[in-house]
């Protein structure tokens, strides 16, 4: 029986997925036949053409080697609404970026794969589980792990901001910035003033910002202003009204690199709410990580790969490596910055999260502003709690997107029944994206627990193994919990209409 039960479950899952797939393909064929024989001649060809397109999308999804939960949700949508579902998938669901973008970015990444080769001896001091996780990231990222590095965790934007300005002031060679949101205001003004001054001194200053994320926060001539100030600038995946139909694949990363020696990442963008200079949804709780030493190299290569894909400037990254004095920095465990993208079928960010959950023995604490996951992640969290791991989810108390918040709450009942403890941050909006487990492993980055972050966006984070800031993050969570309201099963009662709404939202979760 010990061996038979997992085998039975495996075959049940395979049979269920196969049945769903076959049923949806048959449903598409039925729709196609209906279009041919039930409508007038003129309408037949239009509807038939659209249904053929939806059928091809269904077949394409069936053969794709990617997350099954993500595929099945789209298959259900297309099966229920062939015309609309197919159109929605083309606009919002297809993980492959536009061909030209993909070719450019992959060409640069291939050219610089050797720059991210894992150096020997970096993870020798780790336990087997941690070494295995690090090996996965270094081989399938590929982003190497580093010893000669230190880190500093920030529990909020206003704690990080003064250090960021001080590091920018120290720049002598180059400053690289990459953000999802740049918005005019006090925070950006403080950064901009330093960038302009440093660029005038001959420092190489470059900025990548996501055009969609920053669409309403910057003047229309922003790029011209930056270039006139000798700040080279790239709006990522520019929005072209009436032409840009596919708005997936946003650059959601947050990266600052100064002289190759210091780097920042986390959830904090360059806008006033992130340092609580502007109140939008109560107090804005976020997180950031400052890294010094050898590990900064990963962030430097990440940035330069994006930059050179769209504005080729250099083929040799060696001049941007950390300086000798930075490489001799005191080691603090292992730091492994990494990125994830829709350019391949490797769900790196999700797999790192799953590894931390599955390896946890005592606790897993999670900060995330959005929670919309597939069955694999949901079952991992439930299984961890059932085997006695202290699993705690910390979520916003005041949402920035009410519909998405309703979707997040639709997961509460199965999690609570399994023993997962859920907290809502009552002072305001929690935007941090962090994992911490067993005083051993942590992630601080830009990666939300939703379909868009895990499968569609360009993201980044830093994996910390036996680093002192693992404890700093744990302590921040423990200080934050008393400010939260713990959710109980009794709080999750809803009407029949509410239950139906939750089911529909779960179905539409890839769009959110």
């Amino acid at each position: 029986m010990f061996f038979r039960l997992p085998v039975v479950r495996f075959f049940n899952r395979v049979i269920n997925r196969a049945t769903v797939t076959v049923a949806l393909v048959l449903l598409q064929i039925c729709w196609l036949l209906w279009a041919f024989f039930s409508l007038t001649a003129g309408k037949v060809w239009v509807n038939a053409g659209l249904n053929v397109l939806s059928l091809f999308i269904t077949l394409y999804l069936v053969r794709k080697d990617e997350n099954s939960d993500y595929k099945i949700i789209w298959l259900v949508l297309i099966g229920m609404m062939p015309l609309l579902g197919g159109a929605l998938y083309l606009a919002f669901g297809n993980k492959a970026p536009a061909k030209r973008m993909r070719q450019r970015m992959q060409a640069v990444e291939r050219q610089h794969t050797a720059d991210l080769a894992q150096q020997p001896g970096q993870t020798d001091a780790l336990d087997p589980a941690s070494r295995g996780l690090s090996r996965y990231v270094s081989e399938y990222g590929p982003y190497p792990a580093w010893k000669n590095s230190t880190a500093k965790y920030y529990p909020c934007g206003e704690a990080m901001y003064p250090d960021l300005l001080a590091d920018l002031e120290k720049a002598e060679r180059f400053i690289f910035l990459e953000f999802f949101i740049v918005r005019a205001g006090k925070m950006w003004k403080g950064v901009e003033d330093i960038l302009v001054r440093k660029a005038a001194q001959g420092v190489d200053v470059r900025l990548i910002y996501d055009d969609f994320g920053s669409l309403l926060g910057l003047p229309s001539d922003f790029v011209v202003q930056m270039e006139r100030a000798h700040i080279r600038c790239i709006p990522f995946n520019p929005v072209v009204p009436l032409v840009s139909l596919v708005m997936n694949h946003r650059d959601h990363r947050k990266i600052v690199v100064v002289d190759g020696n210091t780097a920042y990442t986390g959830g904090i963008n360059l806008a006033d709410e992130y340092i609580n200079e502007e109140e939008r949804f109560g107090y804005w709780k976020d997180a950031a990580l400052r890294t010094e030493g050898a590990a900064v190299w990963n962030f430097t290569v990440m940035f330069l790969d994006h930059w050179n894909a769209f504005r080729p400037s250099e083929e040799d990254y060696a001049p941007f490596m950390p300086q000798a004095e930075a490489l001799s920095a005191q080691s603090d465990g292992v730091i492994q910055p990494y990125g994830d993208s829709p350019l391949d079928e490797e769900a790196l960010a999700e797999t790192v999260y799953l590894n931390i959950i599955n390896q946890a023995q005592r606790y897993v604490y999670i900060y995330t502003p959005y929670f919309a996951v597939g069955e694999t992640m949901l079952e991992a969290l439930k299984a961890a709690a059932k085997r006695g791991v202290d699993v705690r989810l910390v979520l916003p108390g005041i949402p920035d997107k009410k519909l998405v918040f309703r979707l997040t709450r639709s997961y509460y009942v199965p999690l609570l029944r399994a023993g997962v403890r859920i907290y809502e941050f009552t002072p305001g909006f929690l935007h941090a994206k962090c994992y911490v487990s067993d005083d051993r492993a942590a992630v601080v980055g830009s990666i939300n627990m939703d379909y868009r972050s895990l499968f569609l966006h360009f993201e980044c984070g830093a994996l910390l193994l036996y680093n002192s800031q693992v404890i700093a993050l744990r302590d921040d969570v423990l200080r934050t919990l008393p400010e939260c309201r713990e959710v109980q099963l009794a709080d999750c009662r809803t009407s029949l209409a509410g239950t139906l709404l939750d089911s529909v939202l779960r179905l539409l979760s890839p769009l959110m």
Side-chain angles (χ1 to χ4, degrees):
M1 278 299 293
F2 182 81
F3 293 102
R4 287 179 62 194
L5 186 57
V7 171
V8 170
R9 285 177 178 167
F10 170 77
F11 278 108
N12 281 342
R13 183 174 295 182
V14 171
I15 291 169
N16 288 340
R17 286 178 176 169
T19 304
V20 169
T21 299
V22 170
L24 288 168
V25 172
L26 291 174
L27 185 59
Q28 291 284 27
I29 294 172
C30 291
W31 268 91
L32 183 60
L33 293 174
W34 176 83
F36 269 111
F37 297 111
S38 301
L39 301 176
T40 60
K43 254 179 155 183
V44 163
W45 292 107
V46 175
N47 280 278
L50 292 172
N51 277 282
V52 166
L53 178 61
S54 292
L55 177 60
F56 276 119
I57 292 172
T58 300
L59 296 172
Y60 168 74
L61 273 167
V62 168
R63 65 164 291 278
K64 279 195 80 174
D65 181 21
E66 69 179 21
N67 182 278
S68 297
D69 299 323
Y70 185 72
K71 286 199 298 185
I72 286 174
I73 288 176
W74 278 108
L75 288 168
V76 171
L77 276 174
I78 295 170
M80 292 175 63
M81 306 175 291
L83 303 184
L84 180 59
L88 287 172
Y89 178 77
L90 291 175
F92 298 106
N94 186 15
K95 285 179 62 179
K99 184 177 180 182
R100 189 180 179 195
M101 177 194 292
R102 187 168 68 251
Q103 288 176 336
R104 282 181 165 190
M105 299 183 81
Q106 287 179 328
V108 173
E109 287 183 3
R110 283 194 298 268
Q111 185 179 352
H112 293 281
T113 300
D115 288 323
L116 291 171
Q118 178 63 67
Q119 302 301 307
Q122 300 295 310
T123 62
D124 290 351
L126 299 179
D127 66 276
S130 300
R131 194 158 55 246
L133 174 56
S134 178
R135 180 178 179 272
Y136 166 73
V137 175
S138 65
E139 290 196 8
Y140 292 90
Y143 295 99
W146 299 96
K147 284 193 305 186
N148 297 103
S149 308
T150 58
K152 180 179 180 181
Y153 171 76
Y154 299 94
C156 58
E158 56 268 33
M160 178 273 287
Y161 187 52
D163 284 1
L164 173 63
L165 295 182
D167 283 327
L168 294 175
E169 286 282 11
K170 295 174 187 173
E172 296 179 352
R173 297 190 293 148
F174 62 89
I175 298 173
F176 298 156
L177 303 99
E178 184 174 345
F179 284 92
F180 178 60
I181 295 172
V182 178
R183 185 180 298 127
K186 180 179 178 179
M187 187 179 188
W188 168 242
K189 179 63 175 171
V191 171
E192 182 185 25
D193 288 347
I194 298 173
L195 299 183
V196 171
R197 187 163 61 253
K198 287 296 176 178
Q201 295 170 4
V203 174
D204 180 2
V205 181
R206 309 186 198 185
L207 169 65
I208 301 173
Y209 67 92
D210 188 84
D211 198 46
F212 183 80
S214 305
L215 191 61
L216 302 178
L218 296 174
S220 58
D221 63 343
F222 179 74
V223 174
V224 174
Q225 291 180 24
M226 293 297 99
E227 295 287 343
R228 283 176 179 168
H230 305 290
I231 298 169
R232 291 190 282 173
C233 192
I234 294 177
F236 183 86
N237 198 2
V239 176
V240 182
L242 304 180
V243 176
S244 298
L245 297 179
V246 179
M247 296 312 303
N248 284 333
H249 319 309
R250 307 318 316 178
D251 185 354
H252 196 245
R253 308 193 310 189
K254 288 88 178 170
I255 297 174
V256 177
V257 180
V258 179
D259 288 347
N261 304 327
T262 305
Y264 288 80
T265 194
I268 299 169
N269 286 294
L270 297 178
D272 283 355
E273 62 267 31
Y274 292 90
I275 57 171
N276 285 290
E277 283 293 327
E278 173 188 349
E279 183 175 322
R280 296 186 65 200
F281 309 101
Y283 179 80
W284 193 287
K285 167 109 177 110
D286 221 311
L289 190 78
R290 179 183 185 271
T291 303
E292 280 190 289
V296 175
W297 177 240
N298 291 22
F299 286 119
T300 304
V301 175
M302 279 186 233
F303 178 91
L304 288 171
D305 278 353
H306 264 206
W307 183 271
N308 284 287
F310 303 102
R311 192 167 173 174
S313 301
E314 52 271 314
E315 294 186 359
D316 183 8
Y317 292 174
F320 303 96
M321 293 185 73
Q323 294 168 318
E325 57 269 25
L327 289 174
S328 63
Q330 180 181 357
S331 287
D332 184 6
V334 169
I335 303 176
Q336 194 163 10
Y338 63 94
D340 194 14
S341 83
L343 294 177
D344 55 33
E345 299 303 330
E346 188 63 45
L348 190 77
E350 183 188 42
T351 304
V352 169
Y353 282 171
L354 287 170
N355 267 271
I356 292 174
I357 296 167
N358 292 332
Q359 292 173 6
Q361 297 180 9
R362 293 190 292 119
Y363 74 85
V364 179
Y365 300 155
I366 299 169
Y367 281 154
T368 183
Y370 314 113
F371 188 88
V373 298
E375 288 300 314
T376 303
M377 180 68 74
L378 196 63
E379 290 302 317
L381 290 166
K382 290 161 60 179
K386 288 176 179 178
R387 68 174 186 266
V389 176
D390 180 10
V391 182
R392 305 193 191 197
L393 277 173
V394 188
L395 302 159
I398 301 176
D400 67 334
K401 303 176 180 72
K402 291 185 178 180
L403 204 58
V404 176
F405 189 51
R406 177 73 191 227
L407 169 62
T408 293
R409 285 181 160 180
S410 74
Y411 290 86
Y412 283 8
V413 170
L415 289 169
L416 289 168
R417 284 177 176 164
V420 176
R421 299 178 71 179
I422 300 173
Y423 297 81
E424 292 181 348
F425 179 67
T426 52
F429 182 61
L430 181 136
H431 190 255
K433 308 97 166 39
C434 304
Y435 267 56
V436 61
S437 176
D438 291 352
D439 298 351
R440 173 186 65 88
V443 171
V444 180
S446 67
I447 307 157
N448 296 315
M449 291 184 70
D450 62 11
Y451 286 98
R452 305 199 68 76
S453 254
L454 295 174
F455 304 119
L456 298 174
H457 288 165
F458 294 88
E459 302 281 3
C460 69
L463 174 63
L464 306 175
L465 298 169
Y466 292 98
N467 181 280
S468 62
Q469 300 309 290
V470 173
I471 305 301
L473 173 53
R474 179 206 66 188
D475 291 346
D476 178 46
V477 176
L478 294 176
R479 284 192 302 269
T480 301
L481 292 179
E483 301 181 71
C484 301
R485 180 179 70 92
E486 184 169 5
V487 180
Q488 307 295 334
L489 264 175
D491 302 323
C492 302
R493 293 175 184 155
T494 185
S495 62
L496 176 61
T499 302
L500 290 173
L501 174 61
D502 289 345
S503 300
V504 171
L505 290 176
R506 292 276 284 274
L507 186 64
L508 297 176
S509 55
L511 301 178
M512 298 183 185

